[in-house]
Amino acid sequence: MSLFDLTGKTAFVTGASRGIGRVIAVALAQAGADVALVARTTEGLADTATDVKAAGREAVVIPADVTDQRAVARAVATAIGRLGHVDIVVNNAGGSNFMAGFRDLRLDGWEKLMRLNLTSAVYVCHAFAPHLLDRRSGSVINVASITGVAAAPLISPYGAAKAGLISLTKTLAVEWAADNVRVNALCPGWTATDLNRNLWDDQVAGPATIANVPMKRWAAAGEMAGPAVFLASDASSYLTGQAIIVDGGQTINT
Ligand SMILES: NC(=O)c1ccc[n+]([C@@H]2O[C@H](COP(=O)([O-])OP(=O)(O)OC[C@H]3O[C@@H](n4cnc5c(N)ncnc54)[C@H](OP(=O)(O)O)[C@@H]3O)[C@@H](O)[C@H]2O)c1
């Protein structure tokens, strides 16, 4: 267990008001970390903060829109100020709220999804860079997706943004490795959250969506907790620049 112990560490998690981000924030707290919680919805952040405190750790609630560069800079400064320092940065906020073939795609939709799923992480990493590099310590976890490593029909902006996030992960891993800052991507497969309730909650679409998943089921958000704690902790101390795929085997044959 000590390999995964985060006692004395602090974390910054975006998209912490629900879904995978909430699970990761609470798991980091249960492993010993104090956590700054970032999202737009204060009620959801308050619920996550309750769970973090129940684990005996400090929760700093920071309402912010990660697509707003100034808001991100303020959030990062607040987290460092309130927690003293930050060791673990989880860029989890993201998602896709429409499906369209590329021919029918509205270009403002493309730009919105790139900003939410890629540029937001650029803002966070850029704001944290001096802090992490000057301290010569840190683990950055970018929550990408299997759509970033394969084709993403009907969700091309989302897939391109996640592929870009994996590229950013690899480049920062190389640029920051000598300063002891590790950067990895966590790539979930189909995970039942509010993001895709319209699919898994549907008797036809639910099973059809995961028909080519060898494990023959949707992931629960909680199944992203272990990989995230692993990437945050010394258990992965020689692991950087990787895209860790957690998809029930879906991409094995792609
Ligand atoms: N679920 C899946 O199948 C799946 C698969 C692969 C990858 N992922 C990725 O995993 C991550 C989490 O997804 P999820 O399934 O947990 O989705 P979710 O349940 O919809 O949660 C998304 C989180 O992101 C936050 N968020 C959205 N826009 C934001 C903004 N502009 N500023 C700040 N926070 C924002 C939301 O909080 P507020 O609305 O309160 O701001 C919420 O906390 C995403 O990056 C997603 O792309 C999910």
Side-chain angles (χ1 to χ4, degrees):
M1 181 60 202
S2 61
L3 269 179
F4 299 88
D5 186 17
L6 299 177
T7 303
K9 303 274 188 191
T10 56
F12 177 96
V13 181
T14 70
S17 62
R18 60 175 187 268
I20 293 170
R22 174 182 291 181
V23 160
I24 290 176
V26 174
L28 295 175
Q30 288 169 341
D34 295 331
V35 192
L37 306 167
V38 179
R40 295 164 302 177
T41 313
T42 47
E43 297 81 3
L45 289 173
D47 289 345
T48 308
T50 300
D51 292 348
V52 167
K53 287 175 191 160
R57 307 314 317 174
E58 185 179 351
V60 178
V61 168
I62 308 175
D65 183 336
V66 295
T67 65
D68 176 340
Q69 190 260 327
R70 287 185 184 174
V72 168
R74 280 195 301 272
V76 169
T78 301
I80 294 170
R82 294 277 301 279
L83 295 171
H85 69 276
V86 171
D87 305 287
I88 302 153
V89 176
V90 184
N91 287 307
N92 164 79
S96 174
N97 57 0
F98 65 87
M99 296 177 94
F102 188 78
R103 179 180 171 157
D104 301 320
L105 183 70
R106 282 200 243 116
L107 291 180
D108 61 335
W110 176 279
E111 277 158 21
K112 273 186 190 157
L113 288 196
M114 292 300 281
R115 206 173 310 125
L116 174 59
N117 289 286
L118 175 57
T119 313
S120 63
V122 172
Y123 293 157
V124 172
C125 288
H126 202 258
F128 266 117
H131 180 76
L132 297 173
L133 297 171
D134 289 352
R135 292 189 71 243
R136 298 183 61 80
S137 171
S139 173
V140 178
I141 302 168
N142 293 322
V143 179
S145 163
I146 56 169
T147 61
V149 297
L154 305 181
I155 47 174
S156 57
Y158 181 69
K162 294 301 193 182
L165 186 56
I166 292 168
S167 172
L168 179 72
T169 298
K170 292 178 180 177
T171 298
L172 295 187
V174 170
E175 290 193 6
W176 294 359
D179 289 310
N180 198 37
V181 177
R182 298 185 296 109
V183 187
N184 290 289
L186 172 56
C187 302
W190 289 108
T191 308
T193 66
D194 286 351
L195 181 63
N196 43 36
R197 179 178 294 276
N198 61 322
L199 295 175
W200 57 262
D201 213 18
D202 184 282
Q203 283 190 346
V204 177
T209 304
I210 46 93
N212 66 344
V213 176
M215 290 184 75
K216 295 292 172 213
R217 64 176 178 83
W218 286 72
E223 292 180 285
M224 303 303 144
V229 171
F230 168 64
L231 290 175
S233 69
D234 286 345
S236 61
S237 56
Y238 200 57
L239 196 160
T240 196
Q242 300 305 307
I244 304 295
I245 293 173
V246 187
D247 69 348
Q250 184 177 357
T251 51
I252 291 170
N253 291 319
T254 57

